[in-house]
Amino acid sequence: MYKAVTRGISVTVTPRYMPEESTPDHGRYFFAYTVEIINTSLDRVQLRARHWRITDEHGHVQEVRGAGVVGEEPVLGPGESFSYTSGCPLTTPSGTMQGTYLMETASGETFDAAIPAFSLDIPRTKRVLH
């Protein structure tokens, strides 16, 4: 679990490898991640956009920008939360993701809420040395 808090917006991410969606022999590794956003501030906020920076183990970077998350622009009052699960394919068995959510307050002020950097890694098997 990875967590970041910006201006009372708590973002927690839990990633996991999805072997049933992956084909390592063809260079496809699929990861799912669940995000929980909790508004611990006193303001009502709306998630307007996302910006992801995805880096594979070779250092290749892909940036993803778009409106909302999973087709929604959730509004969170004080104490409210929103969770969703999404996925990310990689061509390498490990990488990282991080980013920001563009949040807008009820008064129209916008700010970036940090999405913590988190690892995407396939489970490694232990080696036995003789």
Side-chain angles (χ1 to χ4, degrees):
M1 207 165 53
Y2 301 82
K3 183 177 181 178
V5 180
T6 308
R7 290 184 54 175
I9 305 303
S10 171
V11 179
T12 303
V13 183
T14 306
R16 67 187 176 283
Y17 176 59
M18 304 293 290
E20 67 278 9
E21 300 289 331
S22 302
T23 50
D25 292 345
H26 294 93
R28 178 179 161 81
Y29 303 87
F30 194 81
F31 299 87
Y33 55 91
T34 299
V35 178
E36 182 179 36
I37 305 163
I38 303 171
N39 182 3
T40 64
S41 77
L42 299 176
D43 295 319
R44 189 178 78 122
V45 296
Q46 183 167 15
L47 191 158
R48 291 294 192 179
R50 69 192 181 283
H51 173 214
W52 287 104
R53 185 176 171 88
I54 305 161
T55 307
D56 71 15
E57 71 181 34
H58 299 302
H60 298 118
V61 176
Q62 178 184 2
E63 299 210 28
V64 177
R65 297 176 187 270
V69 290
V70 294
E72 297 186 49
E73 292 185 13
V75 175
L76 301 173
E80 293 182 336
S81 66
F82 177 81
S83 295
Y84 71 95
T85 298
S86 191
C88 175
L90 289 180
T91 58
T92 60
S94 68
T96 61
M97 288 180 69
Q98 64 185 33
T100 56
Y101 293 127
L102 178 65
M103 308 300 286
E104 183 177 356
T105 66
S107 65
E109 178 189 3
T110 59
F111 65 94
D112 285 330
I115 303 168
F118 58 95
S119 295
L120 303 171
D121 297 296
I122 65 168
R124 304 286 181 178
T125 57
K126 289 186 178 183
R127 293 185 196 181
V128 177
L129 300 177
H130 296 262

